[in-house]
Amino acid sequence: MSLVGKKFPNVAVDAMSEMGDDLKINIFEEATVNQQKVLLFWYPKDFTFVCPTELHAFQEALGEFEKRNTKVIGASCDTNEVHFAWLNVSKDNGGIEGVTYPLLADTHRQLANMLGIVDQDFEYNDEGEEVFTGSNVTYRATYLIDETGKIFHESVNDMPLGRNVKEYLRLIDAYTHVQKHGEVCPANWEEGKDAMKADRNSTAEYLAKN
């Protein structure tokens, strides 16, 4: 079930800083108290394969997110200790050394289960006993949260599929344009391109030009 248009859960989760500090982070409060947008991205597991490419890609774009008053936070179901160990492995050895944004450590899967993004299921064996199936880690879910704590974008990739970081920058630009100007953004809109008023005439004019 989609969470777009709803408030992000108001819960605090353990997290790890790049300096090895144990934190508690409440995503809803990060957005509402600090009056900023938040990009929260979940990845399946530390010390894996596609995951470090994504963490480094978000790090490389961190300055662009900061220009847009957007805080980037990563998340998985690993522990703080495993996060810190991975932060101390160099990039050329498959690690995430150099990542400076915080990482949630949702080890009890409280928040991940609230969001419905954990790969877990149950089936019954021949004796009628419930048997757990699935990896019990999260899919590659991404949430964009605005300054009121509302989710304005969510997406979920299957585990083998890495994300396109530039698309989230585009979405933040589009949403910010809507907030500032009250216009709507057409397909493939980018900063500097024409937007539209939400009426039939404006749509017709836009289509005639494009």
Side-chain angles (χ1 to χ4, degrees):
M1 183 176 67
S2 175
L3 298 176
V4 170
K6 299 180 175 64
K7 298 291 186 181
F8 196 86
N10 188 355
V11 297
V13 180
D14 289 336
M16 171 59 59
S17 78
E18 82 278 10
M19 300 301 294
D21 298 319
D22 291 324
L23 309 171
K24 282 277 191 183
I25 293 180
N26 183 317
I27 300 295
F28 181 82
E29 290 183 354
E30 286 288 330
T32 58
V33 174
N34 297 322
Q35 283 297 285
Q36 62 185 348
K37 294 179 175 66
V38 176
L39 183 149
L40 173 66
F41 74 97
W42 294 80
Y43 61 92
K45 204 171 183 181
D46 291 352
F47 291 98
T48 51
F49 317 110
V50 175
C51 298
T53 69
E54 292 192 308
L55 271 78
H56 285 295
F58 278 109
Q59 178 65 36
E60 289 166 9
L62 197 59
E64 291 300 317
F65 286 106
E66 290 171 350
K67 287 178 188 176
R68 293 161 171 82
N69 191 33
T70 300
K71 186 175 183 68
V72 174
I73 299 175
S76 77
C77 298
D78 296 281
T79 65
N80 271 353
E81 292 77 13
V82 176
H83 281 336
F84 190 56
W86 205 24
L87 282 162
N88 281 283
V89 177
S90 64
K91 183 178 180 181
D92 58 6
N93 281 318
I96 58 168
E97 186 179 36
V99 166
T100 61
Y101 50 82
L103 302 175
L104 297 189
D106 189 21
T107 54
H108 297 295
R109 294 159 176 75
Q110 177 191 12
L111 179 55
N113 278 319
M114 292 174 74
L115 298 171
I117 57 173
V118 182
D119 175 30
Q120 56 183 208
D121 205 353
F122 296 90
E123 57 186 36
Y124 293 91
N125 61 21
D126 293 339
E127 287 73 42
E129 299 167 328
E130 195 173 57
V131 178
F132 173 81
T133 61
S135 65
N136 206 32
V137 298
T138 65
Y139 294 104
R140 299 186 193 281
T142 312
Y143 297 88
L144 293 176
I145 301 109
D146 73 10
E147 297 85 349
T148 71
K150 185 182 79 172
I151 299 168
F152 65 92
H153 169 84
E154 66 175 337
S155 59
V156 183
N157 290 9
D158 201 355
M159 294 173 194
L161 306 176
R163 281 162 278 217
N164 183 338
V165 172
K166 291 181 181 178
E167 173 63 4
Y168 301 109
L169 292 169
R170 189 193 73 83
L171 288 166
I172 292 166
D173 286 343
Y175 191 76
T176 301
H177 184 92
V178 172
Q179 289 176 308
K180 287 182 177 179
H181 303 286
E183 295 180 316
V184 295
C185 296
N188 299 321
W189 183 91
E190 293 177 345
E191 186 66 50
K193 290 187 175 181
D194 290 337
M196 308 182 302
K197 294 183 176 64
D199 61 52
R200 187 187 300 272
N201 288 338
S202 183
T203 301
E205 290 173 8
Y206 177 86
L207 291 173
K209 292 179 184 177
N210 296 276

